[in-house]
Amino acid sequence: MSASEIALPLQMGAHTIWTLRRRLVPYRLSLAEALAADLPRLVPLARRDDGYLITSVPAAWRAGLIALHPELRAFIRQRYWRRYARLDLAFDDYWAGLSAKGRSTLKRKSRKLAVRSGGVLAISCHRTPEEIRAFHAAAREVSKLSYQERLLDAGLPDGPDALADMCALASRDAVRAWLLHLDGRAIAYLYAPADGDVLLYAHLGYDPAHATLSPGSVLQIEAMRQLMAEDRFRFFDFTEGDGQHKRQFATDGIDCVDLLLVRPTLSNLFVTSILGGFDGFLAAAKRLLAASGGESRIRSLLR
């Protein structure tokens, strides 16, 4: 683990207003590490390094981690719930744990898609290198249409190197991927590489022409059904950040922060003051918009 120039964007919705850069040692806690009781051990900083960027730090650890490094200044970039789902449950128990409204919506959407597909949902699971190649070709066509790729630059990776990495994981039985088909072509994909016995929510996308059918949600619940029947993995990690989809399908969560620990130089303190001022302004604006009922309108304009 070594330092590199890391972008610290000032973002409003999906739009980046400005990007600051610092030479930081990145450290992303895995779900297993976040669930453990031990604080992460950080490598010593090199002379020209500015500090560390540690993501998915359980909020309960923050004070202890800061106390281990009193020579550094701490700054919280964001706070969120890291959602995950247990896969050692019987699917019926998992299903019963979803909200009544969520179950009703998923049943209705699944039934509608099944009727369109001739009576059953057309879902394929891909795990071998050959299957992953077929998945990648079909999923890339969906990704090109998805808002994840067009607006968030978060589509399924393309190119021979990305495909080679996926196939390498498949050769070790360290990936699961799914496609949802309609009228003979894929309309949604879900790609989940493995970290030990944890599957990571890496890429989900769908054709916006079928958005009213909630194809991403239908595909997610069927993937969960298959994973619980397979009993190969322990957790499905929805990773950093929060959102309605993650809240709907998770069984548990960890209150987390992204933590900057930086040397108290003038340039570092200047950068963190800008970050803090911008994040504080956004938080205040969101509270004001929520009180006035305008937050949903602004969010739609930012997409």
Side-chain angles (χ1 to χ4, degrees):
M1 187 191 314
S2 59
S4 61
E5 289 289 323
I6 291 181
L8 302 171
L10 306 182
Q11 287 184 301
M12 187 175 292
H15 300 268
T16 298
I17 309 301
W18 191 22
T19 299
L20 303 166
R21 296 183 183 276
R22 292 285 86 188
R23 184 173 177 81
L24 303 170
V25 176
Y27 195 109
R28 178 187 176 275
L29 272 73
S30 68
L31 181 62
E33 289 174 315
L35 290 172
D38 298 328
L39 294 174
R41 294 185 178 182
L42 305 178
V43 299
L45 292 175
R47 187 172 182 176
R48 63 195 186 104
D49 295 343
D50 292 306
Y52 306 94
L53 174 60
I54 316 170
T55 56
S56 284
V57 178
W61 292 10
R62 183 182 60 186
L65 192 55
I66 292 173
L68 287 176
H69 301 277
E71 76 284 4
L72 303 177
R73 296 291 180 87
F75 175 79
I76 295 176
R77 188 70 221 273
Q78 60 176 333
R79 186 165 186 165
Y80 51 86
W81 282 89
R82 182 173 182 168
R83 308 282 178 178
Y84 64 95
R86 290 175 51 196
L87 297 177
D88 58 352
L89 300 171
F91 180 78
D92 288 345
D93 294 334
Y94 170 75
W95 177 258
L98 302 181
S99 69
K101 181 180 179 181
R103 292 197 303 269
S104 175
T105 300
L106 285 169
K107 281 182 179 179
R108 185 176 70 256
K109 301 294 186 180
S110 295
R111 187 162 48 243
K112 193 169 184 178
L113 272 167
V115 168
R116 288 279 308 276
S117 298
V120 295
L121 289 172
I123 292 176
S124 56
C125 179
H126 305 253
R127 51 194 291 182
T128 68
E130 293 75 19
E131 291 169 349
I132 288 296
R133 291 188 186 95
F135 162 83
H136 187 261
R140 276 298 308 154
E141 294 304 309
V142 180
S143 186
K144 293 174 187 177
L145 304 172
S146 71
Y147 84 89
Q148 288 89 348
E149 180 161 327
R150 291 187 297 107
L151 299 181
L152 304 179
D153 194 26
L156 187 74
D158 196 10
D161 291 343
L163 179 57
D165 290 342
M166 293 178 181
C167 290
L169 289 173
S171 68
R172 305 194 301 270
D173 191 32
V175 66
R176 294 292 182 272
W178 296 265
L179 292 170
L180 172 61
H181 306 265
L182 183 64
D183 298 331
R185 69 180 186 88
I187 64 167
Y189 64 88
L190 173 60
Y191 177 75
D195 179 10
D197 60 359
V198 178
L199 279 177
L200 306 176
Y201 177 79
H203 298 284
L204 173 71
Y206 59 85
D207 183 342
H210 300 285
T212 58
L213 296 174
S214 301
S217 295
V218 172
L219 183 56
Q220 182 76 59
I221 194 63
E222 292 305 315
M224 302 302 278
R225 187 195 305 273
Q226 291 182 17
L227 291 170
M228 290 172 187
E230 182 184 359
D231 196 26
R232 160 75 169 80
F233 299 97
R234 186 181 179 192
F235 297 115
F236 192 97
D237 180 9
F238 286 100
T239 68
E240 296 88 347
D242 207 355
Q244 191 276 333
H245 182 91
K246 297 182 179 185
R247 291 192 295 271
Q248 180 178 11
F249 293 102
T251 61
D252 299 274
I254 306 170
D255 184 14
C256 288
V257 297
D258 287 352
L259 187 64
L260 272 171
L261 291 174
V262 296
R263 286 177 165 145
T265 64
L266 286 177
S267 59
N268 285 339
L269 296 178
F270 175 70
V271 165
T272 56
S273 68
I274 293 176
L275 292 172
F278 183 82
D279 292 347
F281 167 76
L282 281 188
K286 286 181 180 179
R287 289 193 296 269
L288 181 62
L289 288 169
S292 64
E295 186 176 10
S296 60
R297 291 195 297 272
I298 296 296
R299 187 183 299 118
S300 67
L301 289 174
L302 292 174
R303 286 181 176 176

